[in-house]
Amino acid sequence: MSRLPNLSVAASCSLLLFTCGMVGQAHADSMSALIAQKSAQATTNTSYRYPDVQRSVPTVLPAFLSGNYDNVDSEYLPLLSSAETQSSMAAREVVSTARKMALNERTIIQGGCWDYLNAVFNRAGVTRDTIHKGTYGQGPYASSSEIEAGDWLYYINHGYNGVEHSGLFVGWVDERAKQALILSYAGENRREPARYRVYDLSNVYQIMRPSV
């Protein structure tokens, strides 16, 4: 039986591999040349400048917020610090007094959310002016632009069966979504201090602002 066909096939395969190798090498050489050409162009073209990267400066918290607290998430401490240091004098007194009662003294007040904030305002030595007044069921409800740090708010608590609730406004976490950091007091005979939590302020129907 002749072996010539097998030798012919082997020779053909060798020729094909050699040809493919040459084509592949030629392609690689052309790609290398193209890359080198583009690199040279990029080196000589100096008109483009990459934009500067904006790096946020780490927030340094003041000493009065340096403790460990179980009634405020640490990610919201910078917001609380801003409310206390950048507000009007009356608002600053209220936010500061509320922070001391909630975080430092862990004050327990007999009563509910209204009683707690009434004690805060009294201890801060401020009066309160009604800036916006509506009703729980019919509004009119306040826009986010009307609300400032230190305001005593009445709102519908969408996170708890839609009941009426009141709290102290600290700052916006996401103003467009109406999500704000609020200091509120649960009361209801719970032996717990007030706590800072994020609430939905889609339906604020009363705003009382501290004044001196």
Side-chain angles (χ1 to χ4, degrees):
M1 187 174 180
S2 175
R3 299 176 57 87
L4 288 177
N6 290 337
L7 293 174
S8 177
V9 170
S12 298
C13 289
S14 298
L15 179 61
L16 179 61
L17 289 173
F18 178 74
T19 304
C20 290
M22 293 182 62
V23 172
Q25 183 63 42
H27 179 70
D29 291 343
S30 63
M31 287 298 295
S32 298
L34 180 61
I35 292 171
Q37 180 183 2
K38 293 297 183 182
S39 299
Q41 291 175 353
T43 302
T44 56
N45 183 9
T46 59
S47 61
Y48 180 78
R49 290 290 183 272
Y50 286 97
D52 294 331
V53 176
Q54 299 296 327
R55 294 181 174 85
S56 59
V57 178
T59 302
V60 179
L61 294 174
F64 59 75
L65 287 175
S66 60
N68 294 318
Y69 313 106
D70 62 0
N71 51 348
V72 60
D73 194 310
S74 60
E75 70 175 300
Y76 301 125
L77 289 178
L79 190 59
L80 177 55
S81 175
S82 297
E84 190 162 340
T85 57
Q86 300 178 15
S87 303
S88 65
M89 183 173 67
R92 188 161 57 245
E93 286 298 321
V94 168
V95 174
S96 174
T97 300
R99 182 261 307 165
K100 292 174 185 176
M101 292 173 60
L103 300 184
N104 305 117
E105 302 170 6
R106 299 178 66 85
T107 304
I108 305 297
I109 298 291
Q110 184 175 3
C113 56
W114 185 93
D115 301 283
Y116 188 89
L117 289 183
N118 186 57
V120 169
F121 273 64
N122 287 340
R123 292 190 187 187
V126 299
T127 58
R128 46 187 181 267
D129 299 327
T130 300
I131 303 302
H132 179 98
K133 187 172 180 62
T135 63
Y136 165 77
Q138 298 181 352
Y141 302 112
S143 66
S144 60
S145 60
E146 298 179 68
I147 304 172
E148 298 179 0
D151 284 351
W152 181 345
L153 307 180
Y154 284 81
Y155 53 94
I156 297 176
N157 187 356
H158 294 287
Y160 190 72
N161 301 322
V163 299
E164 298 178 74
H165 196 38
S166 67
L168 183 71
F169 179 81
V170 177
W172 291 108
V173 175
D174 186 342
E175 185 174 357
R176 179 173 294 184
K178 301 292 184 70
Q179 302 294 303
L181 185 66
I182 297 287
L183 174 69
S184 69
Y185 189 63
E188 299 178 357
N189 296 318
R190 301 180 189 176
R191 303 297 296 177
E192 300 174 2
R195 56 190 177 183
Y196 293 89
R197 294 181 59 185
V198 176
Y199 282 87
D200 180 348
L201 295 187
S202 297
N203 298 103
V204 174
Y205 57 91
Q206 186 166 327
I207 303 173
M208 292 189 293
R209 183 158 298 156
S211 62
V212 293

